Amino acid sequence: MTKVLHAFTTEVPEWRPRVKPVALADATPAQLEALQVTPSNTKVSDYVLVLAHDVETLKVRSPLFNAIMYGRGGLSRAERELGAVGASLVNRCIYCAAVHASRYNQLAKDGAVMEAVFAGDEDARLDERQSAILRFATRLSRAPSEAGLEDVRRLKDAGLSDAEVLDLILSASLFGWANRLMHTLGDPLAGDRTDAGSGQ
C-alpha cells in the first residue's frame, strides 16, 4: 500500500500526480516541441508531462530552470542545489528536497551535509560558506524581507562573489515556485510503490 511521504529523505521517492500527465503518444506537436527543452532527454517525468498541459508556460519554465540551475560560472552546481534544498525545507516540499539533496550528494560527493541539514544539525556540521548559503535560502523562503543586508554580508564574508549571491537568490526563489507546483500537482510516496506513477 502506498502512503504519502512526510519525512525528509535523500532517497528520491516516487511521485503520484493528481493531474493526469499528457501521454507522449497523444501529445500535440506543440507539446512535443515544449517537452524537448526539459533538463533530461533520456526520460520525461510525470511532473513535466503534467506541465505539458500548459505549453506556453512549459516553454518558458524549462529554459529558465536550466539557466538558473545549470548555468555556467557563478555559484557551483552543488551550492545551487543547497539553495534549492533550503527553500524546499521551508516549504516542506519532501519531493523537491529529496531530489535536490540527492543531486547535492552526487555533485559534492559528500552525504554528511544533507544528513546534518535534515537532522537540524547544520550549525555543527556545515562550514561557514555552506551555513551562510543555507541560512540565506531559508530566510529568503520564509519571508523575503528576512533576508537582509546582514545575510548578504555573511555570504560575502564566506567568500561568495556578487554573481554567486545572485545565483543563490535565483535558485532559492525558483524553488519558491517549484515547491508550490509540486505540492499541488502531486504527492511523494513511501512504501510499496507498485501502484504509483513513474515520478520524476
Side-chain angles (χ1 to χ4, degrees):
M1 179 178 179
T2 55
K3 294 180 180 177
V4 175
L5 182 63
H6 295 286
F8 288 113
T9 175
T10 58
E11 293 184 25
V12 179
E14 292 288 333
W15 184 77
R16 180 177 56 201
R18 298 176 189 162
V19 175
K20 187 176 180 181
V22 170
L24 275 176
D26 300 329
T28 67
Q31 288 170 327
L32 291 173
E33 180 184 352
L35 289 167
Q36 290 177 356
V37 293
T38 56
S40 169
N41 289 325
T42 58
K43 180 179 182 305
V44 181
S45 71
D46 279 351
Y47 173 64
V48 173
L49 290 170
V50 168
L51 297 180
H53 285 291
D54 185 337
V55 169
E56 293 306 314
T57 300
L58 181 59
K59 285 169 65 177
V60 175
R61 173 264 181 203
S62 295
L64 178 66
F65 183 95
N66 295 345
I68 290 174
M69 297 306 291
Y70 306 129
R72 292 184 178 182
L75 200 63
S76 73
R77 282 199 49 204
E79 290 173 329
R80 294 177 206 210
E81 300 292 354
L82 182 56
V85 169
S88 301
L89 286 172
V90 170
N91 295 318
R92 297 276 320 155
C93 186
I94 303 298
Y95 188 84
C96 292
V99 168
H100 295 281
S102 175
R103 286 188 186 154
Y104 177 90
N105 289 347
Q106 291 169 358
L107 291 164
K109 301 184 182 353
D110 177 11
V113 169
M114 287 302 152
E115 184 179 314
V117 168
F118 288 163
D121 191 28
E122 62 269 19
D123 288 340
R125 302 286 297 273
L126 273 58
D127 66 29
E128 180 55 32
R129 184 176 172 104
Q130 294 163 337
S131 179
I133 288 171
L134 183 66
R135 176 185 165 88
F136 185 88
T138 57
R139 288 174 66 87
L140 177 63
S141 301
R142 272 196 298 270
S145 59
E146 281 190 19
L149 180 60
E150 187 56 38
D151 296 293
V152 173
R153 186 173 293 126
R154 185 175 174 189
L155 289 170
K156 291 190 165 191
D157 288 347
L160 275 76
S161 68
D162 287 339
E164 289 174 321
V165 171
L166 180 58
D167 285 340
L168 176 59
I169 293 168
L170 289 171
S171 68
S173 299
L174 176 67
F175 276 83
W177 177 43
N179 292 161
R180 284 157 178 78
L181 287 171
M182 269 291 174
H183 267 302
T184 53
L185 292 175
D187 297 295
L189 301 179
D192 182 356
R193 301 169 182 168
T194 54
D195 63 344
S198 61
Q200 187 172 15

